[in-house]
């Protein structure tokens, strides 16, 4: 019976076996169609070889990017092409394009995106993270509260060095929403150890609704906060976004909310008074 099964097995193609051994799966899977394409175009042997290599490289790049995006844990798909620069005139598009080239990541520098909620900091952070992956770098996204909670948990389990090592591996670490929620009591010390571990070796991108002058309050420890900023700002690009929230602007444009009668609200703020019968509800004296 075994002999009969062996007789019915298809013979192994030597070329197919060699392509598998060399892990040239892109060429192997499309070999016949690629050779047909080369024949129709009357390509030389050298040009045909180049066609095969281009196909293999494109396949490997696609798989690498696909895997890197999955490992980055981005909460949404955001690209620079979808960012409305006209709505945020405080942002210099040229500076963002320069950052998208990812040279700062190669140099182990940092980017701080500061501004009120809703102005597009997270959008830019994810988009720059995607550009870094397309450029061949690894990236990881996390929120500040999740990051610090993970560090605190590892510290309690005596695995802090292991956790810091894992967070040191991505060439770009994105920390979103620093300052939005209260941090753990030992957050400043744990965050300082992470920043020190990545200092001048791994890039960080941090978004925050607080100015750097307020980080002493964010970490509840001005001394350690100063040490953190000393390292983050040494090689850094600080972008402060001054503008209105996209979400609130959309609601105003749809008529759901309106600014108060009289003086316009300051930049970055908006009235949340509901609209009734075409006018805002105003308190009576």
């Amino acid at each position: 019976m075994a002999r009969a099964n062996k007789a019915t097995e298809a013979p192994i193609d030597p070329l197919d076996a060699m392509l598998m051994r060399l892990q040239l799966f892109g060429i192997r899977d499309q070999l016949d169609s690629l050779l047909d394409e080369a024949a129709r175009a009357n390509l030389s042997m050298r040009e045909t070889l180049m066609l095969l290599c281009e196909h293999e490289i494109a396949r490997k790049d696609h798989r690498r990017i696909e895997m890197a995006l999955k490992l980055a844990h981005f909460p949404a798909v955001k690209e620079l092409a979808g960012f409305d620069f006209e709505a945020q005139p405080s942002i210099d598009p040229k500076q963002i394009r320069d950052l998208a080239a990812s040279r700062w990541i190669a140099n182990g520098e940092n980017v701080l995106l500061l501004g009120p909620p809703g102005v597009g900091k997270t959008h830019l952070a994810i988009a720059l993270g995607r550009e870094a992956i397309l450029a061949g770098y690894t990236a990881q996204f996390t929120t500040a509260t999740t990051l610090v909670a993970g560090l605190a948990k590892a510290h309690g389990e005596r695995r802090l060095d292991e956790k810091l090592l894992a967070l040191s591996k991505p060439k770009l670490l994105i920390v979103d929403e620093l300052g939005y929620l209260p941090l753990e009591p030992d957050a400043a010390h744990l965050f300082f150890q992470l920043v020190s571990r990545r200092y001048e070796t791994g890039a960080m991108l941090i978004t925050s609704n607080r100015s750097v002058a307020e980080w002493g309050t964010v970490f509840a420890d001005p001394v350690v906060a100063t040490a953190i900023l000393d390292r983050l700002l040494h090689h850094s690009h600080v972008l402060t976004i001054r503008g209105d929230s996209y979400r609130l602007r959309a609601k105003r444009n749809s008529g759901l909310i309106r600014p108060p009668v009289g003086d316009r609200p300051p930049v970055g703020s908006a009235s949340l008074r509901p609209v009734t019968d075409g006018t805002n509800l105003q308190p009576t004296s």
Side-chain angles (χ1 to χ4, degrees):
M1 186 70 177
R3 183 176 301 173
N5 289 340
K6 187 174 183 179
T8 58
E9 289 179 359
I12 298 176
D13 183 348
L15 178 57
D16 187 81
M18 286 188 284
L19 291 173
M20 289 185 63
R21 182 174 179 181
L22 293 171
Q23 297 186 6
L24 300 176
F25 302 115
I27 295 176
R28 172 183 175 270
D29 294 342
Q30 300 293 327
L31 182 59
D32 291 338
S33 62
L34 290 171
L35 292 177
D36 288 342
E37 180 182 343
R40 288 193 300 270
N42 197 25
L43 300 182
S44 66
M45 292 184 63
R46 184 182 184 87
E47 291 170 334
T48 300
L49 181 58
M50 184 177 295
L51 173 67
L52 296 174
C53 290
E54 287 174 348
H55 182 80
E56 184 65 35
I57 290 172
R59 180 182 183 276
K60 289 186 183 302
D61 283 345
H62 177 75
R63 290 178 64 85
R64 176 192 64 78
I65 291 169
E66 193 177 55
M67 181 59 68
L69 288 172
K70 183 177 180 180
L71 294 175
H73 299 296
F74 292 130
V77 177
K78 300 291 183 181
E79 299 179 352
L80 288 180
F83 189 82
D84 188 358
F85 286 98
E86 292 185 1
Q88 300 297 359
S90 64
I91 301 177
D92 181 2
K94 182 180 181 301
Q95 187 177 15
I96 298 299
R97 287 195 296 269
D98 288 342
L99 292 174
S102 302
R103 288 184 296 271
W104 59 283
I105 299 174
N107 297 330
E109 299 171 354
N110 305 306
V111 169
L112 272 62
L113 296 177
L114 310 176
V119 295
K121 299 186 300 297
T122 301
H123 185 140
L124 287 175
I126 295 173
L128 289 173
R130 288 178 62 89
E131 292 296 326
I133 288 174
L134 293 176
Y137 299 104
T138 52
Q140 183 175 339
F141 181 99
T142 183
T143 63
T145 51
T146 299
L147 173 68
V148 173
L151 290 172
K153 184 174 185 292
H155 179 64
E157 297 173 350
R158 301 183 182 276
R159 298 185 298 102
L160 181 59
D161 194 64
E162 176 186 338
K163 183 69 172 179
L164 290 172
L165 179 61
L167 290 169
S168 299
K169 289 182 178 179
K171 287 297 294 181
L172 172 62
L173 179 64
I174 300 174
V175 182
D176 196 31
E177 299 181 340
L178 179 66
Y180 281 81
L181 296 173
L183 297 177
E184 299 289 336
D186 295 330
H189 299 277
L190 295 171
F191 199 81
F192 172 75
Q193 292 186 60
L194 173 62
V195 171
S196 296
R197 183 70 68 96
R198 294 186 61 89
Y199 178 59
E200 293 187 328
T201 60
M204 294 185 70
L205 190 159
I206 299 176
T207 74
S208 177
N209 65 325
R210 305 290 191 93
S211 68
V212 293
E214 299 177 277
W215 281 26
T217 302
V218 171
F219 287 106
D221 192 326
V223 175
V224 180
T226 299
I228 291 172
L229 285 169
D230 180 63
R231 286 158 176 77
L232 286 177
L233 297 177
H234 185 202
H235 307 290
S236 66
H237 308 265
V238 180
L239 287 73
T240 301
I241 306 175
R242 300 177 180 86
D244 205 355
S245 166
Y246 284 107
R247 292 178 286 273
L248 295 183
R249 185 186 303 116
K251 285 182 170 55
R252 278 201 300 275
N253 291 340
S254 66
L256 293 177
I257 59 174
R258 290 182 182 175
V261 177
D263 294 337
R264 296 182 65 185
V267 173
S269 65
S271 169
L272 297 180
R273 296 190 183 94
V275 175
T276 304
D277 295 330
T279 59
N280 288 335
L281 293 177
Q282 301 289 347
T284 56
S285 55

